[in-house]
């Protein structure tokens, strides 16, 4: 009898251990203001990105992958919650991102990828730029992350010198920006030495992988570059043909290589999904200090393709079928996809805007995403259905200064043949305009807006 009891206990323990071990690891590598054309595999002629390029060969290169907003804060809320920023309150028509004097942040009731995975036994870590609230109740450790190492908002904030911004960015020194570096809820360095920030983020990421090799984990590595001001460590400074911007991207590529090497050295490469993408398009007004949208029109601060279509590679040897995916996907889709792959289910108490892409990872040629809604603050700027994108507003294609205007008549572009958005087809396709207008109307009729968290200031 005792022997049978021990056998049952062993069986139960083995089943639990197998279930735990069968849960895959997830890593998101999220860059800041990196344009569609800023990687070798996406067509840049002089920036060398061999590690990301190899990821694309071994995994999937997504050529029509979107963020949910064209600036930092709302985009970051969407990737972590799977919900449009207008639902979570991470939007504003006045202050489009959070600032050091903001007293808002991602609401406590929102469920991040980290919070959901942590509830099923995952170790979780956030490294890098957060930008979803710098006060304690909004930091990563309050949103499901076991640990945090990084800067709480953009690397150009807390500027302390007397130079104007553009002058400071032309010859950047980290002392010009009194940005804090935090570990969990404590500031450990101020100003953060941004010359070494990419290297230190990478070291933290590799350490996390090594320390959690025996349990499922989720790592959110959100680089604070190539957002201006630009910084690169000694080994990369002056090495790229593209100048300082290229130095920064090539160091990020090195960082990707270090992370993939860490996974391989721990025998985790066939048990881990790695997603590389960017939070929005390039900051075009900074000229050579900013990136490139490639063949796409517009940049950061716009909902034209160059502002919201981002370079994306998804890697997972043995789990992700290699190839080029030209159908639509979005950072909104990562939360439901990760939950599906980990054996979890979406909570039923809220609306999600993402889809499960796991069948596409495995080689299904069709994606569940047929539509994309592009918001600028609380205004629905454009809607895509299939190959066609209809605009309701127009904006300065450089994004800054903002020049948002409601169009008298919608414009329409076939993105499969005209990704540069040069040829307005609205006049020839009234039936498509009518179809997309109906989709937009249905979407807006069910939309419940969250209370904006971005407009309040500390001390007001």
């Amino acid at each position: 009898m005792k022997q049978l009891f021990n056998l049952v206990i062993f069986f139960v323990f083995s089943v639990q251990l197998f279930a735990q071990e069968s849960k895959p690891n997830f890593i998101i590598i999220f860059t800041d203001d990196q344009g569609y054309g800023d990687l070798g595999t996406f067509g840049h002629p002089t920036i060398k990105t061999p590690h990301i390029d190899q990821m694309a060969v071994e995994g999937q290169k997504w050529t029509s992958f979107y963020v949910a907003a064209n600036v930092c804060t709302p985009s970051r809320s969407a990737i972590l919650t799977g919900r449009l920023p207008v639902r979570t309150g991470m939007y504003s028509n006045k202050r489009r991102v959070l600032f050091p004097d903001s007293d808002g942040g991602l609401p406590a009731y929102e469920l991040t990828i980290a919070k959901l995975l942590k509830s099923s036994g995952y170790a979780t870590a956030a490294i890098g730029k957060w930008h979803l609230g710098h006060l304690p109740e909004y930091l990563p450790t309050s949103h499901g992350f076991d640990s945090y190492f990084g800067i709480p908002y953009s690397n150009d904030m807390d500027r302390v010198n007397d130079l104007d911004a553009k002058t400071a960015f032309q010859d950047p020194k980290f002392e010009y920006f009194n940005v804090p570096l935090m570990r969990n809820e404590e500031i450990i360095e101020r100003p953060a030495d941004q010359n070494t920030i990419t290297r230190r983020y990478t070291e933290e990421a590799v350490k996390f992988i090594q320390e959690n090799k025996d349990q499922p984990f989720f790592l959110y590595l959100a680089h604070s570059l190539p957002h201006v001001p630009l910084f690169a460590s000694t080994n990369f400074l002056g090495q790229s043909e593209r100048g300082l911007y290229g130095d920064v991207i090539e160091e990020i590529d090195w960082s990707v290589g270090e992370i993939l090497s860490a996974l391989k050295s721990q025998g985790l490469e066939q048990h881990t999904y790695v997603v590389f993408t960017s939070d929005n398009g390039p900051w075009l007004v900074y000229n050579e200090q900013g990136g490139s949208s490639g063949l796409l029109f517009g940049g950061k601060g716009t909902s034209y393709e160059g502002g919201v279509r981002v370079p994306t590679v998804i890697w997972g040897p043995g789990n992700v079928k290699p190839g080029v995916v030209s159908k639509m996907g979005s950072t909104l889709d990562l939360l439901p996809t990760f939950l599906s792959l980990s054996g979890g289910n979406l909570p039923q108490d809220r609306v999600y805007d993402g889809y499960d892409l796991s069948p596409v990872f495995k080689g299904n040629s069709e994606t569940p995403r047929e539509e994309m809604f592009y918001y600028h603050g609380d205004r629905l700027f454009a809607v895509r259905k299939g190959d066609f994108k209809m605009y309701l507003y127009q904006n300065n294609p450089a994004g800054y200064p903002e020049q948002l205007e409601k169009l008298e008549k919608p414009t329409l572009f076939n993105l499969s043949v005209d990704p540069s958005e040069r040829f307005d087809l609205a006049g020839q396709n009234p039936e498509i305009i009518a179809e997309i207008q109906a989709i937009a109307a249905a979407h807006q009729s069910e939309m419940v807006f969250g209370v904006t968290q971005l407009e309040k200031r500390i001390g007001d």
Side-chain angles (χ1 to χ4, degrees), residues 100 153 157-158 174 177-181 187-193:
Y153 35 73
M157 294 181 175
D158 284 330
F174 75 84
F177 307 91
N178 196 33
V179 179
L181 179 66
I187 295 174
I188 60 172
E189 180 180 293
R190 192 167 197 170
D193 184 351

Side-chain angles (χ1 to χ4, degrees), residues 257-270:
E258 291 296 293
I259 290 166
L260 299 185
S261 293
L263 291 172
K264 292 172 184 176
S265 69
Q266 301 298 329
L268 299 173
E269 70 273 23
Q270 300 216 2

Side-chain angles (χ1 to χ4, degrees), residues 123-233:
T124 59
I127 298 172
K129 174 179 169 178
W130 179 239
H131 216 176
L132 293 175
H134 67 280
L135 299 178
E137 61 267 34
Y138 302 123
L139 288 171
T141 47
S142 295
H143 279 291
F145 289 99
D146 297 324
S147 63
Y148 173 53
F149 177 82
I151 65 173
Y153 35 73
S154 292
N155 70 327
D156 65 331
M157 294 181 175
D158 284 330
R159 187 161 53 90
V160 297
N161 66 308
D162 294 330
L163 299 174
D164 66 89
K166 285 196 174 184
T167 303
F169 296 154
Q170 288 300 314
D171 183 23
K173 294 178 173 55
F174 75 84
E175 294 90 351
Y176 292 167
F177 307 91
N178 196 33
V179 179
L181 179 66
M182 304 186 72
R183 185 174 296 281
N184 300 323
E185 298 89 28
E186 296 183 14
I187 295 174
I188 60 172
E189 180 180 293
R190 192 167 197 170
D193 184 351
Q194 297 193 55
N195 293 313
T196 60
I197 202 85
T198 298
R199 174 175 59 77
R200 288 190 284 171
Y201 288 166
T202 306
E203 291 169 351
E204 290 284 329
V206 169
K207 181 181 177 184
F208 175 79
I209 292 168
Q210 293 170 341
E211 290 179 346
N212 292 280
K213 65 182 185 299
D214 296 324
Q215 66 182 109
F217 62 77
F218 168 54
L219 171 61
Y220 175 61
L221 171 56
H223 284 288
S224 43
L225 297 165
H227 191 292
V228 292
L230 300 175
F231 296 93
S233 65

